[in-house]
Amino acid sequence: MNHHYQIIPECYADTVLVEVLGFEKPNHQLGIGKVFASMSKTLEKRPTVGIIDNDKVKPKALDEFEPKGENHGIKRFSNGKHTILVISPAFEDWVFENAQSKEIDPAEYGFTSRKAFRDASKSTKANQNQHLKQFLNTLKQKKAPGFVQLTDWICEATGIDKADI
């Protein structure tokens, strides 16, 4: 089993998403500040990618990163060996946009509203929610554009071969 400690998702749902994409045992940190702290302290010399949501307040630490592009609702920033991927808009809306692009109905997975999906995504038990995992996995299998882009940029930033996930 591979450990992808150099991939640092910010919230429970981001962690489930990263695992569904094939990156096992990411370095979950609760909150944007902890993502940046982990990058600068623990993993300062390794290629590392932090995955955060586009929150209302831009994190000050992001000022040290240079914008490198935006595609399929993901903004890419880098600073040396470190990359930050910002999911935009917030995670729940981004996932629903990806589902819509592939004509996948979230209600088939029990998510009859964005609020229901948001509640499942914000739960500390998100990693145990089979409906959430199945929904995200379907989006991965159907090659939702944001999911493909996120996978590509994680692999590029960390040096992970896509064939290994």
Side-chain angles (χ1 to χ4, degrees):
M1 179 179 285
N2 290 328
H3 291 265
H4 293 107
Y5 197 73
Q6 74 277 33
I7 303 168
I8 311 170
E10 161 212 355
C11 65
Y12 299 110
D14 291 344
T15 302
V16 173
L17 173 60
V18 167
E19 290 173 338
V20 164
L21 293 176
F23 303 99
E24 300 170 19
K25 304 271 186 208
N27 181 3
H28 170 77
Q29 297 292 321
L30 191 54
I32 291 172
K34 290 189 176 168
V35 169
F36 282 102
S38 183
M39 290 177 92
S40 64
K41 292 186 179 113
T42 317
L43 299 163
E44 64 180 313
K45 294 183 180 13
R46 289 185 64 188
T48 306
V49 62
I51 300 166
I52 64 175
D53 277 1
N54 190 8
D55 290 338
K56 291 153 198 70
V57 179
K58 181 181 160 216
K60 193 88 178 114
L62 196 57
D63 291 343
E64 297 172 24
F65 287 73
E66 186 181 331
K68 292 292 186 179
E70 181 174 354
N71 206 2
H72 299 297
I74 305 164
K75 297 175 184 173
R76 183 178 183 171
F77 298 85
S78 65
N79 178 356
K81 293 181 175 187
H82 293 170
T83 299
I84 293 288
L85 300 177
V86 182
I87 293 175
S88 180
F91 178 83
E92 296 83 8
D93 295 328
W94 179 79
V95 170
F96 267 54
E97 286 173 12
N98 274 276
Q100 187 176 11
S101 77
K102 289 296 182 177
E103 298 179 2
I104 296 167
D105 183 2
E108 289 181 25
Y109 301 87
F111 304 114
T112 53
S113 68
R114 287 189 190 220
K115 183 188 180 326
F117 182 67
R118 187 171 289 114
D119 291 346
S121 299
K122 301 264 185 228
S123 168
T124 58
K125 294 185 171 27
N127 65 332
Q128 296 168 19
N129 185 325
Q130 292 308 310
H131 295 289
L132 177 62
K133 287 180 175 180
Q134 288 167 351
F135 180 39
L136 297 176
N137 196 42
T138 298
L139 290 168
K140 173 192 172 187
Q141 289 173 350
K142 299 281 186 188
K143 299 191 180 333
F147 285 49
V148 171
Q149 187 65 69
L150 189 61
T151 302
D152 288 348
W153 278 351
I154 290 172
C155 287
E156 281 178 32
T158 57
I160 294 170
D161 187 332
K162 234 177 145 174
D164 292 341
I165 57 169

